[in-house]
Amino acid sequence: MKSSRERLELDKILEAAATFAVLDGGKAELAACTPAASLAEAETRLGMTAEAEHLLFTLGAGRVEYFPPAGDLLERAEKGAVLSCGELLHAAQILRSVRLLHDNISAVADESIVLFSELILRLTFDRRLEEEIGEKIVSADAVADTASEKLFSIRREIRLMEERIRARLAQYLTGDEKQYLQENIVTMRGDRFVIPVKAEYRRSIRGFVHDRSQSGATVFVEPEEILEMNNELRTLAADEQEEVLRILKDLSVRVGRLRAALETSILATTSADTYFARAEYAYSLRAVRPKLSRRGRVEIVRGRHPLLDAKAAVPVSVTVGEKFSFLVLSGANTGGKTVTLKMCGLFCLMAACGLFLPAAAAEVPVCEVFCDIGDSQSIEENLSTFSSHILNLKEILERAERGSFVLIDEPGGGTDPEEGQAIARAVLATLLLRRCFGIVTTHYGALKEFAYRTEGLENGRMEFDAADFRPLYRLCMGEAGSSNALAICTRLQFPEEVIALARSYLSDWAGAFEYTLRAAEESRVRADAARAEAEALKGEWEERLAALGKEEETFQKSKEKFLASSKAEARRIVSERTARAEELLEELEEIFKKESLTERDLIEARTIKNTMERGTMSEDDAPIRAKPVDMGALREGTFVRIGSMQAEGKVLSVNRAKGTAEVQVGALRVRANLSDLYVASSKEKKGSVTVTRTVTPPAEQKRELNLIGLTTAEISSELEKFLDSAVLSNFPEVRIVHGMGTGKLRAAVHEVLRKDARVKSFRLGKYGEGESGVTIVTFE
């Protein structure tokens, strides 16, 4: 009889996972893995797989380097056998693989890597031995010249001796003896250098004949004078072999001493390889780590059988063992009942083997899994389909105990339906009494009805689209499904008259029951469609309401922000005007505190008075109604009015290239733009100066202008007023604050500065000056 492992195709899953293993031993170990017998062992296996996944795909520290199976190499080395060059290179591969695994894991500073940290404690390696083998053994059949000083010396002497022999024999090829030679070559016979001589001249060259050609026309002669040199060469070759043997023996002894430790290391490395393979297999399936249940419970969310095409498989969600013990699964043929049954059992075995499950989430127990699935008919054992199922059920009933997970595909099949359903009910009732849990598939109406009225049983059905006559491969809990055999016959274009005749043969009870199930299923499909449509409409209106709510919230925030900024601007204006008025009053008080007033003091007092009468209007607020000066007539001595200062003075010089003029205004010398000059309202009388307004004394002028909050259209007048005041105050440098923002305000400021002839240069602030949020201006 097939085991549950075979029926659920666990071997195929393990073989698929084993293909990701690197080592031959890892492939064999994983393919032969048996499910864990205890919850603790299964948790450890899953933990190892989780850590392997983390090492591989997060930390990049996983993988095992390949080495061939060790065979009896280590045992022979321990017993004193001299390993060949190839076997020593094999041992070095093992040492390297073990070392790399140890170094990779130990280099990871991650507290979540616990089980692999314990595993590498079992690893032993000898890096010096590994390196020495690599240095001394150059191939599977050669030792390096530098393996020892003695070997290097011997091989050097061998090369020199060979050169001497070849040089002497070359004389035979070019001298008088050339006529006796069959070919002008030097060759080897055995391990001695010889020359090919024509048979009839063999006595013409003194020496020893070592061989002859098959035709007898050529003999291979070692000249007498070469004899001693060949003998010495053979002696050197023997010394070489002796030294090579010594080197191989030394390395073999060192490998033999590590036998026990290396065998343990190989087992640990092979185990690590199997868990890295499990992790890669899980990645290929997009699988998740299952939760292990401490009670008899299977819960799978959107699971799919790992042997099915992930793109085509319809995920299934199943829960068994919590609110009920057995799920009685019914529905149409080819509807996915058996696949769902197998998936649940297979997931339990996979988790017990440390494999992740292809599902959105899963909880499975670690327990004995029994199953009767498929046709086990056997000609050799003289068993019919029914007999084979009965023997499987017999074994299940003998071995199943509390907590066992039992899967039965169509119990009681292959015999009289009346008796078959009676057997199925009896088996199910017996398993319930034993506190087992599991899944049973059936087409028997009596078994579906039995599940409705028996505590511990629950009906479930695989959905079927009666309109299109096709299965939907979705599991619906709490309902029994119709087999839809006649509907499937219609889909497969079975003769219509035969289908009609079959329908007439249905018993009244069977027909009524199937009709009820089919009608319920069709009603449920229509209800699901209506519910889906309602949910879609609900979602659409919720999105619209949410969008309207966001718009209202945005509008309210904009309104509040506008009102707040308006109030703040009003407070700022009132505060500035009040502060300005207080400053002007203080200036007047300072002037009239003097014991004697000069003409300058009177001019300043008059200017302050005029300013206060205008309600502390800003300089640019006062409209200029004067006529612009005629640029052609402008020359030294011309009286003009400076618009930005609202003051009159005499032109001292004109710089048309820069567009500026130097003007004497009272005691002040002012540099003004030509565009800011207007025709004076009155002529200066000799010995007096008429000034209607003055500028703020330099000591009180600010060196910084803050334009944040203004629009690009508003900054021009503010900036020009500030620049005029800064020039009058003889400031070499000032700071303009415009903020970073979108850059539009900064660009507008720079445009004004480029056009102002008084500006020598300007730049963005450095670190500590405000960086790109300010511009530093330097004047001529």
Side-chain angles (χ1 to χ4, degrees), residues 77 80-83 88 243-256:
V82 178
L83 301 179
L88 285 169
E243 179 62 13
V244 167
L245 185 63
R246 186 196 66 76
I247 292 169
L248 296 180
K249 185 174 182 179
D250 176 64
L251 295 174
S252 300
V253 169
R254 293 169 64 184
V255 170

Side-chain angles (χ1 to χ4, degrees), residues 232-392:
E232 187 175 349
L233 185 61
R234 290 190 64 183
T235 302
L236 289 171
D239 292 343
E240 178 193 18
Q241 288 298 99
E242 184 180 340
E243 179 62 13
V244 167
L245 185 63
R246 186 196 66 76
I247 292 169
L248 296 180
K249 185 174 182 179
D250 176 64
L251 295 174
S252 300
V253 169
R254 293 169 64 184
V255 170
R257 290 173 186 160
L258 292 173
R259 177 197 172 182
L262 280 181
E263 285 180 344
T264 301
S265 298
I266 289 172
L267 290 175
T269 304
T270 302
S271 177
D273 185 39
T274 66
Y275 286 106
F276 286 130
R278 287 175 171 92
E280 289 199 60
Y281 183 58
Y283 182 83
S284 72
L285 292 177
R286 301 194 302 277
V288 299
R289 178 179 180 174
K291 180 181 178 182
L292 295 182
S293 173
R294 295 185 178 277
R295 59 189 188 280
R297 180 173 184 267
V298 172
E299 182 177 10
I300 299 169
V301 179
R302 295 183 58 77
R304 64 185 188 278
H305 197 289
L307 294 180
L308 296 178
D309 182 1
K311 296 180 180 178
V314 178
V316 177
S317 297
V318 186
T319 302
V320 181
E322 185 171 20
K323 297 180 180 179
F324 55 87
S325 298
F326 274 89
L327 173 65
V328 178
L329 191 56
S330 55
N333 290 300
T334 70
K337 299 189 301 297
T338 304
V339 172
T340 302
L341 189 81
K342 283 186 173 183
M343 180 189 73
C344 294
L346 180 61
F347 276 16
C348 293
L349 298 182
M350 286 176 65
C353 289
L355 293 168
F356 286 4
L357 309 181
E363 180 178 353
V364 293
V366 177
C367 63
E368 191 79 24
V369 178
F370 297 97
C371 65
D372 175 38
I373 301 172
D375 186 0
S376 299
Q377 182 176 359
S378 173
I379 296 176
E380 292 84 357
E381 298 179 14
N382 195 26
L383 292 176
S384 66
T385 300
F386 176 73
S387 299
S388 64
H389 282 301
I390 290 299
L391 287 178
N392 287 336

Side-chain angles (χ1 to χ4, degrees), residues 486 489 494-505:
L486 296 178
C489 287
F494 203 68
E496 195 62 43
E497 63 275 12
V498 178
I499 295 174
L501 188 60
R503 189 171 283 113
S504 69
Y505 289 155

